[in-house]
Amino acid sequence: MITTAGFRDVLEIRRQRQPHNYDIRMPKPPPLVPRHLRREVRERTYLYGGQDIAPELDVLRAILDDFRRDGVEAIAVCFLHSYHNPAHERAVAAAIRELYPTAFTCTSYEVLGEFREFERITSTAVNASLGPVMERYLTDLEERATGIGIPVPHILQSNGGVASPREAAGKPVRTLASGPAAGVIGAIQIAARSGFADIITFDVGGTSTDVCLIEGGRPVIARERLFNGHPVRFPTIDVHSVGAGGGSIAWVDPGGFLHVGPQSAGANPGPACYGTGGREPTVTDANVVLGRLPSDALLDGRLPIWADLAHAAIKEKIAIPMDIGVEDAAVGLLTILNENLVQAIRVISVEQGFDPRRFTLVAFGGAGPLLASQLARELGISRVLVPPHPGLLCALGLLMTDARSDFSLTRIAPLAACGAAGLNAAFSELERDVAAWFERERVDAATRTTQRGIDMRYVGQSHELTVPVKDGEFRDADLDALAATFRGEHERVYGYAPDAPAQVVTFRVTACARTTTPNVIGRAPFGQAGATTRSRRRVYFKECGGFVDCPVYDRARLARDTRIDGPAIVHQMDTTTVVLPDQSAEFDDGGCLILTFK
């Protein structure tokens, strides 16, 4: 890293915030760049008067010679106020690329053109650390795709959009949270077809659960995420993840209290019931014990299940230590799991000013439909939507994303002092970068769209709220309406909005290119009219006082007009849906299963 003289220790000084308020001894994550590889250059850009000091380029040769001896592959250039004027970073980066052409070089103004030096420097350091690996991989991917005559694949980003391999290779930091974003995009499309714009996604796999809130068909966007203790700033779909999934291990602490996760049995050895060597009780084992999963096989018979091993694991590790029955232990396991999931939903809803009761819960992933109904009941959510193929929804989402890039520019000023002229000047600067991106990505003019916003705050506040703004030129007469919009958002989030002066802080433009979505959703096939239950088995429901004789349906054989009254189990190849005793389930025209509390 090359940074402003006097600031090479920003990575270690960090912020005053403590992740655990009462543990001052908690170790901080090691800095991504060791201290001897953080080198200083005398330079300065002044925000409020003063003569700028140009960087001393003649010292670079000696610094780069040291980097070569240490085998450096990537160099991050991070100057103090480069978001205000990136000329110094540009000059240093150009010199590095000439003197050290084999190094991956990135500048902080390209990665994050915003103020707050610690977050900008950590984001740039993460980007540089990923750069060489991602650049090699994506360059090879592009060359091999071209060599065999197929279209060059696009790369999903954390913001839910895709980028060309070249764009993603230059800014790999924007792909860090891309995996969960795919499921969110798929859920938005599926729910929109069913007529639901306000949804909460519930994606449960083997080791984790990902939840996200979508209002009006648009996901909430977060500006900052922690990755292994390092804060990284970039627009990302606000997916909240917890260590709770089908393979999460249940355990009893020395005080006799039951916990679930975050440890997971993983794919190898997996849950005890898989018969592949696992000895720890998991969420999957509990569902086998309670009859919610079949006791013989999953995946349409391709994955054998050993119910006796599930019983043995729960008995040895939970029931005996807690002096309770095996079924009670399994119920307790799922109860603790559900409380963890409720808290995850509260983080993205109640804590952000949203009432979860007015949203539809979209359950997908291998275990989402298995756990969704109990979670919905606890939260007061009246409706659960289960897509036709829940286990494939993330893959589906990948095929339905638009090309997207986010641009930002910090210009801190009181709204009144900035005026319409200042607003227009900032957006004009951003839109030049947007136009260059559209050309670089070869986006057809007919598919181009942009969305604008301004981060605003009251004078004296430390953090901002993003306010959407109109396209086109601002006039002085628009300033009052902009201030009123900010106050309305402040009222929604915090419950109050004083009539006080506001500041503009960061200007934002999101550029999108609509893709031609293939007809991959289609219409789910239905079974023949009059299809009946596949079988019956004993399933535990607390509402019924224990085990009851429960109908089990094969989803692929159910007719369009089928109505299922709970309690019931609906099996399909990639998941199992539990219909509670006070629920009913019906299909919509697209084949989604809609569960509603009676």
Side-chain angles (χ1 to χ4, degrees):
M1 176 177 287
I2 295 176
T3 190
T4 304
F7 288 87
R8 75 170 178 172
D9 291 325
V10 167
L11 275 180
E12 293 187 74
I13 295 173
R14 299 171 63 86
R15 290 288 185 196
Q16 187 177 1
R17 297 190 301 267
Q18 284 287 108
H20 298 281
N21 291 335
Y22 304 107
D23 186 3
I24 62 175
R25 297 172 298 176
M26 183 176 179
K28 299 174 182 176
L32 292 166
V33 189
R35 195 169 193 270
H36 74 282
L37 294 179
R38 303 196 299 266
R39 307 297 289 273
E40 298 178 347
V41 171
R42 185 172 179 268
E43 71 82 36
R44 200 60 178 265
T45 295
Y46 291 97
L47 294 181
Y48 307 110
Q51 184 64 42
D52 290 353
I53 302 172
E56 299 175 333
L57 298 181
D58 55 343
V59 304
L60 282 179
R61 190 176 297 274
I63 292 174
L64 297 179
D65 286 344
D66 290 344
F67 285 173
R68 281 193 186 90
R69 282 191 291 271
D70 281 308
V72 166
E73 290 185 87
I75 301 173
V77 182
C78 308
F79 291 155
L80 185 60
H81 292 305
S82 60
Y83 63 89
H84 181 73
N85 181 0
H88 293 178
E89 284 193 355
R90 286 196 186 109
V92 169
I96 293 172
R97 290 178 178 124
E98 179 181 346
L99 298 171
Y100 200 163
T102 59
F104 177 91
T105 303
C106 62
T107 60
S108 71
Y109 85 90
E110 293 174 309
V111 174
L112 182 69
E114 302 178 20
F115 80 136
R116 294 195 172 98
E117 66 275 7
F118 173 56
E119 289 78 8
R120 181 159 41 87
I121 287 175
T122 56
S123 300
T124 309
V126 171
N127 193 74
S129 69
L130 295 171
V133 174
M134 289 284 282
E135 188 175 54
R136 287 192 293 266
Y137 174 78
L138 292 176
T139 299
D140 180 62
L141 178 67
E142 188 170 10
E143 290 174 352
R144 292 176 67 184
T146 303
I148 61 177
I150 65 172
V152 174
H154 281 66
I155 309 302
L156 186 67
Q157 304 174 99
S158 306
N159 59 16
V162 293
S164 66
R166 189 169 304 173
E167 181 84 6
K171 297 177 181 177
V173 70
R174 297 193 174 192
T175 67
L176 277 171
S178 58
V184 173
I185 298 300
I188 290 173
Q189 297 288 347
I190 287 286
R193 190 184 64 178
S194 295
F196 304 120
D198 297 337
I199 63 173
I200 293 175
T201 66
F202 181 59
D203 179 5
V204 188
T207 60
S208 66
T209 294
D210 302 316
V211 295
C212 182
L213 184 141
I214 289 90
E215 185 180 41
R218 293 183 178 180
V220 174
I221 298 295
R223 300 295 177 192
E224 183 177 312
R225 294 272 312 256
L226 275 177
F227 292 93
N228 199 30
H230 300 285
V232 177
R233 286 184 68 86
F234 55 82
T236 176
I237 291 179
D238 193 13
V239 177
H240 181 62
S241 301
V242 292
S248 293
I249 295 173
W251 51 284
V252 179
D253 68 19
F257 291 95
L258 179 61
H259 302 264
V260 180
Q263 306 91 333
S264 175
N268 185 13
C273 64
Y274 286 3
T276 53
R279 293 292 182 267
E280 300 296 330
T282 67
V283 172
T284 299
D285 295 310
N287 279 291
V288 170
V289 166
L290 297 179
R292 299 186 175 189
L293 289 176
S295 59
D296 52 357
L298 292 172
L299 300 178
D300 281 346
R302 282 171 280 184
L303 178 63
I305 292 295
W306 304 86
D308 57 334
L309 296 179
H311 279 78
I314 291 180
K315 180 178 180 179
E316 177 187 352
K317 299 297 178 69
I318 302 177
I320 292 177
M322 297 186 71
D323 193 23
I324 57 177
V326 173
E327 288 79 12
D328 289 337
V331 171
L333 190 162
L334 295 183
T335 300
I336 297 296
L337 172 76
N338 196 63
E339 289 302 313
N340 294 339
L341 299 178
V342 166
Q343 292 305 314
I345 297 290
R346 288 181 61 85
V347 168
I348 62 165
S349 58
V350 177
E351 293 183 15
Q352 303 298 324
F354 298 99
D355 184 349
R357 293 173 296 184
R358 67 180 183 86
F359 290 80
T360 296
L361 190 67
V362 180
F364 56 100
L370 184 68
L371 306 171
S373 293
Q374 187 62 42
L375 175 66
R377 172 189 284 160
E378 293 291 332
L379 290 165
I381 296 174
S382 62
R383 184 169 46 235
V384 177
L385 183 151
V386 181
H389 303 289
L392 306 178
L393 194 63
C394 288
L396 179 66
L398 285 169
L399 301 175
M400 307 170 72
T401 58
D402 295 334
R404 170 174 169 161
S405 190
D406 295 280
F407 302 84
S408 58
L409 177 69
T410 294
R411 292 288 185 267
I412 304 174
L415 176 60
C418 181
L423 300 179
N424 292 331
F427 278 120
S428 294
E429 187 172 345
L430 277 177
E431 284 161 0
R432 285 194 293 270
D433 294 336
V434 171
W437 177 79
F438 278 136
E439 293 300 320
R440 193 166 59 247
E441 294 290 290
R442 300 177 182 177
V443 175
D444 186 88
T447 67
R448 300 178 181 182
T449 61
T450 58
Q451 296 175 351
R452 305 200 302 182
I454 303 176
D455 288 1
M456 299 179 65
R457 65 188 183 189
Y458 286 112
V459 175
Q461 284 185 320
S462 298
H463 296 281
E464 305 80 44
L465 294 172
T466 302
V467 177
V469 298
K470 66 175 186 176
D471 291 332
E473 293 283 313
F474 282 90
R475 300 172 299 171
D476 287 334
D478 298 324
L479 299 185
D480 287 344
L482 179 57
T485 303
F486 164 68
R487 287 194 296 271
E489 181 66 3
H490 200 281
E491 174 78 31
R492 185 191 71 80
V493 175
Y494 298 114
Y496 73 102
D499 186 12
Q503 278 184 329
V504 294
V505 178
T506 299
F507 295 79
R508 302 186 182 278
V509 176
T510 297
C512 290
R514 296 189 306 274
T515 58
T516 302
T517 302
N519 187 24
V520 290
I521 298 182
R523 299 287 173 180
F526 294 105
Q528 298 296 319
T532 58
T533 59
R534 184 173 73 178
S535 61
R536 304 186 74 89
R537 68 167 179 263
R538 291 179 58 76
V539 180
Y540 184 97
F541 289 97
K542 183 179 180 181
E543 304 89 329
C544 300
F547 283 92
V548 296
D549 187 40
C550 181
V552 179
Y553 297 89
D554 185 339
R555 181 168 177 173
R557 298 183 179 181
L558 294 177
R560 163 68 182 84
D561 59 353
T562 300
R563 174 188 169 94
I564 298 172
D565 288 312
I569 301 293
V570 181
H571 277 312
Q572 59 190 100
M573 189 280 291
D574 53 341
T575 195
T576 295
T577 300
V578 174
V579 185
L580 296 179
D582 55 346
Q583 280 183 312
S584 61
E586 296 179 287
F587 288 107
D588 68 6
D589 290 338
C592 290
L593 194 60
I594 311 296
L595 280 62
T596 308
F597 284 97
K598 298 176 185 177

